[in-house]
Amino acid sequence: MKNKTSQLVWVARILVGLLFIFSGLVKINDPLGFSYKLEEYFEVFHITFLNGFALSLSIILCSLEIILGFALLIGVRAVSVAWGLLLLIIFFAFLTFYSAYFQVVQTCGCFGDAIPLTPWQSFSKDLVLLLLIVVLFINRRNIKPLFAAKTGDNLLITITVLSIGFGLYTYNFSPVIDFLPYKIGANIPAEMKTPPGAKPDEYELTYNLKNKKTGETKVMTNTEYLKTNIWKDNNWEVVGQPESRLVKKGFTPKIRDLAIQDAQGNDYTKELLTNPYNNLVIVAYDLNKTDDEAIGRLNAMAINLAQNFNTRTVMLTSNSHQFTEAYSKQHHLMFEIFYADGVPLKTMVRANPGVLLLKNGTVVNKWHYHSMPKYDDLVKKYFQE
């Protein structure tokens, strides 16, 4: 019996440890993206005053997952780690259940953009993890370390420094692996299309009906409503708005919310995404928070590219036309300015500003403003072919 318990603890230890490490890694690869997800939760719980701490919390939570998972695998400080895992999984399970039941945050971000999960899938995953962690918690004093105490502590310090350092690096220099639909090599127009024959989402409507004469009420789906021909009976009326429920998920384009307009509301999406030449797209989703110095450097680069290679450079932002015009005059911006919703702009590149090099709508390359190449290097690699 004791041997079987020991085997169960080892199985739980390996599964939980590896899953926590994997979950932490895919999120800390894109801490800014996870911070956007935290802001969604802050809005749901009316604690938006924490938005300023979202990025720091993102890096801390992701690092904590990696640290706890690693510590569990090597068996260092087992009692404290078991408590940390239990509290963390209870917290995550609450969030995923709340999201699923109240339909507030439709993707939990548990595995970042690498493996999108629905709230119910996330909650189911957390329940399985909770059961495994309860096993570990009950047997927390039987978790044996793989190394001497001092060696284990040194390894724990090392993984802590590496985790936080990796989060700071990916925030300042873009994700190491890009799981977003605007990754290098992606053709944006193609990602926006629905292929011929692809099935759309299937929805079911539920009607609340009331009989004008008897006061009797009924609840019917749209199929029953049509099949029974009750709609022909003038005594029955639909009360309120029909409730819509997704029955079967159909094909969804990877990019479905990108619409680029000028200040007058004219659509420029197709024109900008079918440019057959190399062109730069500067993405500054919020000019209130953008790096002004970086904008200045990009402006100088755009001027040189326009003069020497007739290159078109545009900036996309979600700010108002009035604010953007004032900002443009203040900083003497020489590139064209267009407008789009902030959500797709945040998805294009994890930087403010960030830069995409496009050709025929294909992302040739993309950069965080910290890693943007110098003018001569950019020209040598992309414009002198």
Side-chain angles (χ1 to χ4, degrees):
M1 183 67 180
K2 186 176 180 181
N3 190 40
K4 287 185 177 180
T5 302
S6 178
Q7 290 176 348
L8 179 61
V9 169
W10 260 110
V11 170
R13 184 172 165 179
I14 292 171
L15 290 175
V16 172
L18 291 178
L19 194 59
F20 263 71
I21 291 172
F22 175 75
S23 175
L25 280 174
V26 294
K27 290 200 292 288
I28 208 166
N29 174 66
D30 182 12
L32 191 57
F34 186 53
S35 74
Y36 296 151
K37 188 61 59 178
L38 290 178
E39 289 177 1
E40 287 186 49
Y41 280 109
F42 294 160
E43 186 173 349
V44 168
F45 292 107
H46 307 292
I47 50 174
T48 51
F49 62 88
L50 290 176
N51 282 352
F53 302 98
L55 179 62
S56 299
L57 288 172
S58 170
I59 295 175
I60 290 170
L61 281 174
C62 297
S63 298
L64 189 59
E65 284 189 85
I66 298 170
I67 294 164
L68 288 175
F70 179 79
L72 179 63
L73 287 178
I74 67 172
V76 64
R77 300 190 176 272
V79 174
S80 299
V81 168
W83 272 106
L85 288 169
L86 183 64
L87 294 174
L88 202 58
I89 197 60
I90 289 173
F91 173 68
F92 285 155
F94 165 74
L95 287 183
T96 53
F97 173 77
Y98 193 93
S99 297
Y101 187 79
F102 293 102
Q103 300 180 355
V104 285
V105 179
Q106 293 307 299
T107 54
C108 74
C110 300
F111 295 128
D113 291 288
I115 307 176
L117 297 177
T118 66
W120 282 120
Q121 289 172 335
S122 301
F123 178 61
S124 300
K125 180 263 299 177
D126 287 341
L127 281 184
V128 174
L129 271 175
L130 179 59
L131 290 174
L132 293 172
I133 290 172
V134 166
V135 171
L136 293 170
F137 185 78
I138 293 171
N139 297 279
R140 59 190 180 279
R141 299 193 183 278
N142 297 323
I143 298 175
K144 304 300 181 184
L146 299 181
F147 305 97
K150 187 175 181 180
T151 302
D153 285 344
N154 288 336
L155 289 172
L156 195 59
I157 292 171
T158 301
I159 201 65
T160 300
V161 172
L162 289 175
S163 299
I164 296 174
F166 184 66
L168 293 173
Y169 174 83
T170 50
Y171 165 65
N172 284 286
F173 297 97
S174 299
V176 173
I177 302 175
D178 193 348
F179 296 106
L180 298 170
Y182 298 90
K183 62 186 178 183
I184 295 172
N187 182 268
I188 298 175
E191 300 286 12
M192 297 172 70
K193 291 180 180 177
T194 299
K199 294 183 178 180
D201 292 344
E202 292 182 18
Y203 290 89
E204 180 183 76
L205 294 176
T206 301
Y207 295 99
N208 294 300
L209 304 171
K210 184 177 181 180
N211 191 297
K212 299 176 185 176
K213 289 184 177 181
T214 65
E216 181 186 356
T217 60
K218 289 181 183 233
V219 177
M220 285 186 169
T221 65
N222 55 321
T223 304
E224 296 169 331
Y225 182 73
L226 294 173
K227 188 177 180 180
T228 59
N229 288 326
I230 196 172
W231 55 276
K232 294 181 179 179
D233 189 342
N234 293 327
N235 290 322
W236 288 95
E237 63 177 352
V238 177
V239 180
Q241 292 295 322
E243 296 177 9
S244 179
R245 181 176 69 88
L246 180 65
V247 176
K248 188 176 181 181
K249 187 68 178 173
F251 178 84
T252 303
K254 290 183 179 179
I255 299 174
R256 57 186 184 276
D257 53 359
L258 179 62
I260 303 171
Q261 301 176 330
D262 65 5
Q264 286 72 44
N266 301 308
D267 191 280
Y268 275 79
T269 309
K270 185 176 180 180
E271 178 184 324
L272 294 176
L273 296 181
T274 55
N275 188 334
Y277 306 102
N278 282 329
N279 59 107
L280 289 183
V281 176
I282 299 169
V283 181
Y285 76 90
D286 188 349
L287 291 171
N288 288 295
K289 300 177 182 178
T290 197
D291 188 291
D292 294 335
E293 184 182 350
I295 291 289
R297 293 198 306 270
L298 293 172
N299 190 41
M301 181 179 288
I303 293 171
N304 286 329
L305 287 173
Q307 291 175 345
N308 299 322
F309 298 96
N310 197 29
T311 300
R312 186 179 191 181
T313 300
V314 303
M315 183 175 77
L316 304 182
T317 184
S318 63
N319 292 96
S320 68
H321 167 60
Q322 292 80 3
F323 178 87
T324 305
E325 283 295 311
Y327 184 93
S328 178
K329 289 179 181 178
Q330 179 185 355
H331 295 274
H332 309 289
L333 302 185
M334 299 303 293
F335 33 73
E336 301 171 80
I337 298 175
F338 295 92
Y339 303 86
D341 185 75
V343 173
L345 295 186
K346 289 179 180 179
T347 308
M348 279 187 179
V349 57
R350 299 301 200 201
N352 187 29
V355 182
L356 280 75
L357 177 63
L358 299 183
K359 186 175 184 179
N360 282 320
T362 297
V363 182
V364 178
N365 210 332
K366 60 192 288 190
W367 299 275
H368 190 289
Y369 66 88
H370 282 156
S371 58
M372 184 69 193
K374 293 180 180 178
Y375 173 77
D376 291 339
D377 295 331
L378 187 73
V379 167
K380 185 177 180 181
K381 188 170 184 179
Y382 300 104
F383 292 89
Q384 289 183 342
E385 297 178 350

